[in-house]
Amino acid sequence: MKTNYELRYAANPEDAKHYDTERLRHDFLIEKLFAADEVNMVYSMYDRMIVGGAMPVAEELKLEAIDPLKAPFFTKRREVGIYNVGEGTGTVRVGDETYELGYKEALYIGRGDRDVFFVSKDSSKPAKFYFNSTTAHKEYPNRKVTKADAISVHMGSLEMSNERTINKMLVNQVLPTCQLQMGMTELATGSVWNTMPAHTHSRRMEAYFYFELPKGQAVCHLMGDPHETRHIWMQGEQAVLSPEWSIHSAAATHNYTFIWGMGGENLDYGDQDVCEITDLR
């Protein structure tokens, strides 16, 4: 197995106004998450969130404690949220406990001194484990969460091109966490817009992971200060970091699904400052 990681530093919104396309993509886009028998991670200075992907094929993969953590275990001072977004079923072994995750099923791992391993049930149909991790001050129980356990909200309409279902899964209304909050939004056929009207939330950052986007299609992720917006074109199975000062919205050439993950001071999903569509610049 191979573990790869990189650091991403936080940007001042006044500086980000002057970034060109290459700089925007370098600082905020995470292009490679999945490769056979690799664990790939980005350690972001936005609320110290780690965004990563693990794709076990021929061997089991360990969630290693990368050097920036200065810890013997990845979960020594961290909690982790995991989704299986691969074609096949996989298992996550957390210490002496083993959890089987099917497609779009999630697992919360609380902080603690134990190793974490990823395994695919069938190497010809490998699982793909997408994960977010934030710092944690307390240990909470591990728990598998499916869409049946989620708080699901149907929103939007086909006429507005934004009919979607928001599945709040690893959130404090479903299970206790320190600061990590994750969910999955599924857009209906014919709908392409998410998170519009856009918003910001100054007390937490966010990461978006886009998938179920057919080959040859793309998603245009909108970001930036509401009065200085920018965009990043993305492919399927890529993620993007969203600072606390930035909007996070998108429109694509096809409907898609995305996983949102948040970390920061506040666990209140509704804590956001909405930007009127006509006020965006």
Side-chain angles (χ1 to χ4, degrees):
M1 66 163 286
K2 184 178 181 181
T3 296
N4 307 298
Y5 74 90
E6 60 176 297
L7 298 177
R8 299 284 181 93
Y9 292 94
N12 186 304
E14 292 301 315
D15 294 336
K17 293 177 183 180
H18 305 288
Y19 290 178
D20 61 11
T21 299
E22 182 179 358
R23 180 65 185 275
L24 285 170
R25 295 177 70 86
H26 178 270
D27 280 20
F28 302 106
L29 177 64
I30 303 173
E31 294 188 81
K32 180 184 175 183
L33 283 164
F34 300 113
D37 296 320
E38 290 186 7
V39 180
N40 292 292
M41 292 181 250
V42 167
Y43 184 112
S44 169
M45 294 303 173
Y46 295 112
D47 287 298
R48 302 281 173 169
M49 179 182 276
I50 292 177
V51 177
M55 183 179 172
V57 178
E59 53 186 308
E60 66 177 21
L61 303 181
K62 182 179 180 180
L63 184 58
E64 295 181 317
I66 56 177
D67 184 66
L69 300 184
K70 307 299 182 186
F73 300 93
F74 187 95
T75 55
K76 176 72 176 180
R77 296 182 295 271
R78 285 186 163 269
E79 57 188 354
V80 188
I82 302 167
Y83 278 79
N84 181 8
V85 296
E87 183 180 359
T89 299
T91 60
V92 182
R93 191 167 74 252
V94 186
D96 297 328
E97 300 177 301
T98 299
Y99 301 88
E100 185 173 285
L101 296 184
Y103 187 55
K104 292 184 177 180
E105 292 184 335
L107 175 67
Y108 171 80
I109 302 175
R111 64 172 282 178
D113 293 350
R114 53 203 184 274
D115 288 323
V116 177
F117 291 91
F118 302 105
V119 184
S120 289
K121 204 167 187 179
D122 181 351
S123 61
S124 66
K125 295 181 179 180
K128 294 179 180 179
F129 298 100
Y130 171 73
F131 61 89
N132 290 170
S133 173
T134 52
T135 57
H137 63 275
K138 181 179 179 180
E139 181 176 342
Y140 286 114
N142 305 329
R143 181 176 165 185
K144 175 181 174 178
V145 177
T146 69
K147 285 199 292 182
D149 305 311
I151 299 172
S152 296
V153 182
H154 189 78
M155 297 185 68
S157 66
L158 185 59
E159 290 76 14
M160 295 295 289
S161 303
N162 65 358
E163 183 181 0
R164 62 202 188 277
T165 300
I166 301 174
N167 302 289
K168 303 176 188 178
M169 297 173 70
L170 305 184
V171 299
N172 63 331
Q173 298 99 325
V174 175
L175 77 171
T177 70
C178 290
Q179 63 165 309
L180 183 64
Q181 304 281 279
M182 295 182 74
M184 180 173 60
T185 299
E186 301 167 300
L187 274 71
T189 301
S191 290
V192 297
W193 278 102
N194 77 65
T195 325
M196 186 59 70
H199 62 261
T200 60
H201 26 71
S202 61
R203 293 200 286 166
R204 57 176 184 250
M205 61 80 66
E206 196 156 0
Y208 271 24
F209 169 75
Y210 294 97
F211 68 114
E212 292 193 321
L213 188 69
K215 187 176 181 179
Q217 304 299 315
V219 57
C220 183
H221 180 83
L222 303 177
M223 62 164 296
D225 181 280
H227 298 112
E228 283 280 351
T229 59
R230 300 291 186 267
H231 69 270
I232 298 177
W233 281 99
M234 300 173 58
Q235 309 300 309
E237 297 191 350
Q238 293 182 343
V240 65
L241 299 170
S242 179
E244 72 285 345
W245 47 264
S246 176
I247 64 167
H248 31 284
S249 180
T253 56
H254 191 281
N255 64 296
Y256 52 92
T257 298
F258 69 98
I259 294 171
W260 41 269
M262 294 183 282
E265 180 184 357
N266 192 9
L267 299 180
D268 180 7
Y269 181 86
D271 178 19
Q272 52 191 236
D273 298 314
V274 175
C275 311
E276 297 294 336
I277 294 174
T278 52
D279 289 339
L280 295 173
R281 297 290 184 269

